[in-house]
Amino acid sequence: MAREVIVACDFDSPHTLTTFLDLFENDKPFVKIGMEMFYAGGPEIVQAVKNRGHKIFLDLKLHDIPQTVGKTMRVLSELDVDMTNLHCAGGSNMMKAAVEGLTRADGTRPLLIGVTQLTSTSQEMLEEELLIPQSMPKVVASYAANAHQCGLDGVVCSPLEAQSVHEELGKSFLTVTPGIRFTDSAADDQRRITTPQRAYELGSDMIVVGRPITQATDPVAAYTRCVKEFTR
C-alpha cells in the first residue's frame, strides 16, 4: 500500500468542511472525519465527501461492549468509508466483534485499525492517571499484538512506535500515525510527535495531519509540503 497523508478535517460544521475542500482544485486528499464533524453532519456529510472523490477515514474510536460495537460496525459498513477504527483497550472480544460486524455479506469491509494509546498521552499520564505501570513502547506493542491477533489491519500509534510495531508484526500491518508537526509548528496538545520526514524514516504507513494543514495560511501549500516530506 502506498504511503498516504490523511488530512484531519476536525471542523464543527459541514459548510466549513466543504469550504476547506473547495481549496483543493487539483488534489483529492484522503480525509479524516472525526467525532466532531460526524456528530455535526451525520452520515450525510460522509456521503457528500465521498461523492467529491475523497477517500475517508471515519475516526470514531469505538469503545463499548462487544455486542454494541459489532452492531455499530455493521451500520458503519454501509457508509462506504475506506477505513475506520476502535480503541484496542476494549479488548479482544470487542475487536473480534468489530471485524465481524464490519464485514459485509460479500466478504468486503473497510480497513479496521485500533487505537493503542492517544498521542496526547504521556508516560506520566499512563502511570499516574491510567494506572498502567508499563512503559509506553511496551503497552503499544501489547495492544498492537492483540489487534493483529483479532484480525485488524493495523493500529494507530505515534510515529515513534511505528518501527517497532512493524518489526514485531510485519510490514503489511498498518501503522497510522497522528502527532505530526512541521519543524516550525506548535505542538498544541500532542505529546509524542515528530515531523513528516521523520515519520517516513520511522516507517509510518499513513500520517494524520490536522492543524498544521487546516489552520495554515495556505492549506494547499501546507498539504503539498507534507506530501513531499512524507512520500518522497
Side-chain angles (χ1 to χ4, degrees):
M1 177 177 291
R3 292 189 173 190
E4 296 268 14
V5 173
I6 302 174
V7 181
C9 294
D10 296 322
F11 301 118
D12 60 3
S13 73
H15 174 72
T16 305
L17 172 57
T18 55
T19 299
F20 173 78
L21 294 178
D22 284 342
L23 299 173
F24 293 85
E25 297 178 355
N26 301 316
D27 294 301
K28 295 291 182 182
F30 201 138
V31 171
K32 179 180 84 73
I33 294 178
M35 287 182 280
E36 181 182 15
M37 188 70 260
F38 189 74
Y39 293 156
E44 292 80 10
I45 190 60
V46 174
Q47 190 60 58
V49 172
K50 194 69 176 180
N51 289 344
R52 296 170 70 109
H54 297 270
K55 289 190 285 188
I56 296 175
F57 167 26
L58 185 60
D59 177 25
L60 300 182
K61 299 184 181 73
L62 299 189
H63 187 175
D64 212 310
I65 63 172
Q67 184 180 45
T68 298
V69 170
K71 288 183 176 180
T72 302
M73 286 295 185
R74 189 168 298 119
V75 173
L76 298 184
S77 72
E78 301 303 318
L79 294 184
D80 195 29
V81 298
D82 299 272
M83 183 165 67
T84 191
N85 63 354
L86 48 71
H87 270 290
C88 295
S92 296
N93 288 338
M94 188 201 77
M95 288 191 279
K96 291 174 183 176
V99 173
E100 182 178 353
L102 195 60
T103 303
R104 307 180 185 98
D106 63 1
T108 64
R109 64 169 174 81
L111 293 171
L112 179 60
I113 58 176
V115 177
T116 53
Q117 289 294 322
L118 299 173
T119 49
S120 59
T121 302
S122 64
Q123 182 66 42
E124 181 182 41
M125 186 187 303
L126 194 71
E127 296 176 11
E128 296 183 4
E129 295 186 29
L130 303 182
L131 301 182
I132 299 175
Q134 305 296 331
S135 70
M136 183 67 71
K138 188 171 183 178
V139 172
V140 170
S142 178
Y143 283 25
N146 289 341
H148 183 267
Q149 187 174 18
C150 292
L152 272 66
D153 301 292
V155 289
V156 180
C157 60
S158 87
L160 305 176
E161 296 126 15
Q163 185 173 5
S164 61
V165 169
H166 283 308
E167 288 173 354
E168 291 295 321
L169 301 172
K171 295 293 185 182
S172 63
F173 193 66
L174 298 175
T175 52
V176 181
T177 62
I180 303 297
R181 294 291 184 269
F182 296 122
T183 53
D184 51 355
S185 296
D188 298 308
D189 54 354
Q190 303 281 15
R191 293 295 178 266
R192 295 168 11 255
I193 63 175
T194 193
T195 64
Q197 181 175 345
R198 184 59 179 150
Y200 172 90
E201 294 167 353
L202 291 170
S204 296
D205 296 299
M206 302 179 181
I207 56 174
V208 181
V209 189
R211 285 165 284 191
I213 293 175
T214 60
Q215 295 183 11
T217 303
D218 186 341
V220 176
Y223 170 74
T224 301
R225 173 186 175 185
C226 195
V227 170
K228 183 178 180 180
E229 290 186 13
F230 181 63
T231 63
R232 303 196 180 183

